[in-house]
Each structure stands twice: as structure tokens, then as C-alpha cells.
Amino acid sequence: MIDFRYHIVSIVAIFFALGAGVVLGAGPLKGTASEVVQAQAERDRQALEQARADAIQAKSLDKYRDDYVSKVTAGLTDGKLAGRRIAIVAMPGSDGDMTNAIQESLEGAGGQVTTRVALDSKLFDPGQRQLIEPLVNELVTPDITFPTDSNTYQRAGLILARGVLAREQNKAIDAESTKILSGMSDSKLISVKPTPKDRADLVVVVAAKPPTPAPDNSSYTDSVDFAEGLDLGSAGSVVAGMPESAQNGGLLKALRGDSDATKIISSVDVANMPSGQATIVFALVEQAGGKAGQYGGVDAKNGVAPSAVQAKEN
């Protein structure tokens, strides 16, 4: 059996041979080292050019796919949200461009986005729980009934829902709504733009891409509870995010692991794609009908989209 020392001797011999070729110049090994280097450089150049060409082709195909899906789904979603008002609630760190695209999709389907509420990371900071609990009690209105088994963050979600949402359509912003929005804004927990004139009846919650390193799924328990509160105070809710958000360390992964939450909240894990933005529209229609589903491409229990809604509404 050839042992390790044999390999060492062989490697050393190769280096001596290469070195001799360089030193001797006109000797029998003339040009050997430089030729090897040049040949490798040429292979690397060709590989780089091929990789660049592959990347350009992949990008072109991705653009084609997105443009095609966008044009096709635009016809499928036309009018699906006519007469519905929708609020967008962005989780801390959520992607602004994706949120803009979601809004365009909702409006393209005939919906009216009444406002966008950005949640501050302070809201879910464990060290701030002592602020959240008394604030919830301070902002509760006479027409809010907390479920007997509700927790602090479900109640906080219900409070915000009372500010910008309603279970019924055509509810205006009133003094109680203004009090809630002012109280949560003054506490630096949310920012609201624009100030709504009407309360929405549907809500899209935009999830952030998980940070690196990915946190434990249990770190989203308060966020999931908050989303449940928003759903309880509205006619329907969809939590939307990128595919990463449905993997370990993401909000959608935590949501889909909560059997109580998935009974009432829908989710879409491809919200960064035109097809996913159309799916959000269909999911909202389904929510308005009293049903929930988990859609997308990453462990989505109910498939790519609520096809029954598409068939029924077209």
C-alpha cells in the first residue's frame, strides 16, 4: 500500500521540477510552469464567461416569467377586490419594494388601500412588555370585547385593528380610532401613512426576511398572536412574505406551526413574485368568505393558490 510519505515525496518532486523549469529557462522544462499557469488562466476565463452568460440567461428568463405572470394574472384578478378597503401592516424590517408591489396588486384588483402601518421592533421587544400591557388597557374602547383566553399581543392586535380595521365594511375613522393611533404612535410602536379616513375591512401583514443567524421559530410567538388579533378585528387577514419567511427562522414558518392561527389566518410565501401577489388577492377573497389557507412554494399545506376562488370568481 502506498503510504502518506510517498505522496509527500511525489508532491515535492513536482515542485522541484516546476522550479527547475523556471530557473533553467532554456532547459528541457522551459516554459512548463508558465504554460500551466496560462492554460489554467484560459480555463478560468472561459468558465467565468460561461457563468456570466448563464446568469444573464437566467435573469432574462426570470424577467420573462415575471412579466408573463404579471400580465396573465392581471386579468385574473381584475375586480376581485372591488369595493373592499385593505390596510397593509408591515412587520419590522419588511421589504419596502415588496410592500409597494403588494399594494399595486391590491389596487390593480380594484381594492382601496386605506393606509400602511409600519410596526416598530420596539413593539415585539421582550424588554418592552411592561409598556405594552398597560398601554393595551389604556387604549381599549367600550366596543372591544377581548376573548377570555386572549393574551397581551392578541389584545394589542385587536387594539390596532380597532384603529384601522373593522369586521364590517364602510366604517369611518372615529374619535376612538384616532385615540388608538395617536397612543400607539406617541409610544413609538407604529407609524401610519397616510392617516386613514376610513377603516379597512381586510388586512395584509407583510413579513420580513429572517435575519442572519436565523432566530428560533418560537421568537415569533408574539408576532403570530398580534396577527391573530388583527384577524379577529377584521373581515379577513393574509400574512405575506418571501420564501425565506416560510423556512426555519421565519414568521410564516412559525405561523404555519400554530394550528389555532392557521384556522383563521391565510399566508402566502411568494409575495416577492407577481404570481404570489395575485395569490394574495385570491387569498383575501377567500378570507372575506370565511375561509383560510396556506399558499406558496415552501411547505404550503394548501398548494400554490386558492383555485376554488379563482374558478368561482371568474
Side-chain angles (χ1 to χ4, degrees):
M1 179 180 293
I2 300 175
D3 62 16
F4 181 69
R5 286 177 297 175
Y6 175 85
H7 291 293
I8 293 295
V9 172
S10 299
I11 292 170
V12 171
I14 290 171
F15 276 111
F16 271 118
L18 290 174
V22 173
V23 172
L24 291 176
L29 295 179
K30 177 182 178 181
T32 300
S34 62
E35 289 172 1
V36 169
V37 172
Q38 290 174 2
Q40 183 60 51
E42 178 62 18
R43 287 193 294 272
D44 291 343
R45 184 188 65 78
Q46 292 177 358
L48 181 61
E49 288 182 355
Q50 185 61 50
R52 184 181 294 113
D54 291 344
I56 291 172
Q57 182 180 30
K59 185 176 181 180
S60 297
L61 290 174
D62 285 345
K63 184 177 186 304
Y64 166 80
R65 178 202 63 198
D66 289 346
D67 288 349
Y68 180 85
V69 170
S70 181
K71 286 180 172 60
V72 171
T73 56
L76 294 176
T77 60
D78 282 351
K80 293 297 180 289
L81 295 174
R84 307 308 294 247
R85 294 188 174 97
I86 307 108
I88 296 177
V89 176
M91 284 288 176
S94 56
D95 185 84
D97 289 339
M98 184 174 72
T99 305
N100 291 338
I102 291 172
Q103 178 170 347
E104 289 176 7
S105 180
L106 300 176
E107 293 173 340
Q112 176 191 346
V113 175
T114 58
T115 190
R116 283 168 55 162
V117 181
L119 306 182
D120 193 274
S121 58
K122 180 180 177 182
L123 177 62
F124 301 108
D125 183 348
Q128 298 297 320
R129 186 177 289 269
Q130 58 186 6
L131 166 67
I132 307 302
E133 292 178 350
L135 185 64
V136 165
N137 295 328
E138 177 185 336
L139 296 178
V140 66
T141 62
D143 58 348
I144 294 178
T145 302
F146 292 134
T148 55
D149 59 348
S150 61
N151 59 45
T152 297
Y153 279 90
Q154 289 168 336
R155 295 182 180 190
L158 266 168
I159 292 292
L160 178 59
R162 178 59 181 82
V164 298
L165 297 163
R167 295 188 65 84
E168 305 82 15
Q169 291 181 274
N170 303 317
K171 289 284 188 178
I173 291 291
D174 56 15
E176 298 289 9
S177 299
T178 302
K179 171 189 171 183
I180 288 170
L181 296 180
S182 295
M184 297 188 79
S185 297
D186 292 346
S187 298
K188 309 299 183 184
L189 299 178
I190 66 170
S191 61
V192 183
K193 292 182 181 179
T195 301
K197 296 179 180 178
D198 300 297
R199 291 156 67 187
D201 55 295
L202 299 172
V203 58
V204 176
V205 179
V206 183
K209 184 178 179 180
T212 302
D216 188 84
N217 294 333
S218 62
S219 66
Y220 292 101
T221 298
D222 292 341
S223 299
V224 172
D225 290 341
F226 192 87
E228 285 185 284
L230 291 174
D231 183 88
L232 292 172
S234 68
S237 65
V238 175
V239 179
M242 300 179 182
E244 293 89 341
S245 65
Q247 298 170 347
N248 280 327
L251 173 57
L252 266 66
K253 179 71 172 181
L255 169 68
R256 291 173 175 179
D258 187 323
S259 59
D260 290 330
T262 54
K263 289 177 183 176
I264 60 173
I265 299 173
S266 295
S267 67
V268 176
D269 63 37
V270 284
N272 56 325
M273 304 177 187
S275 55
Q277 292 145 23
T279 300
I280 294 171
V281 172
F282 293 127
L284 283 173
V285 174
E286 186 180 57
Q287 277 279 320
K291 295 182 180 180
Q294 315 309 315
Y295 306 107
V298 183
D299 297 330
K301 177 181 178 182
N302 302 108
V304 297
S307 56
V309 172
Q310 297 181 53
K312 179 180 178 181
E313 297 295 328
N314 282 284

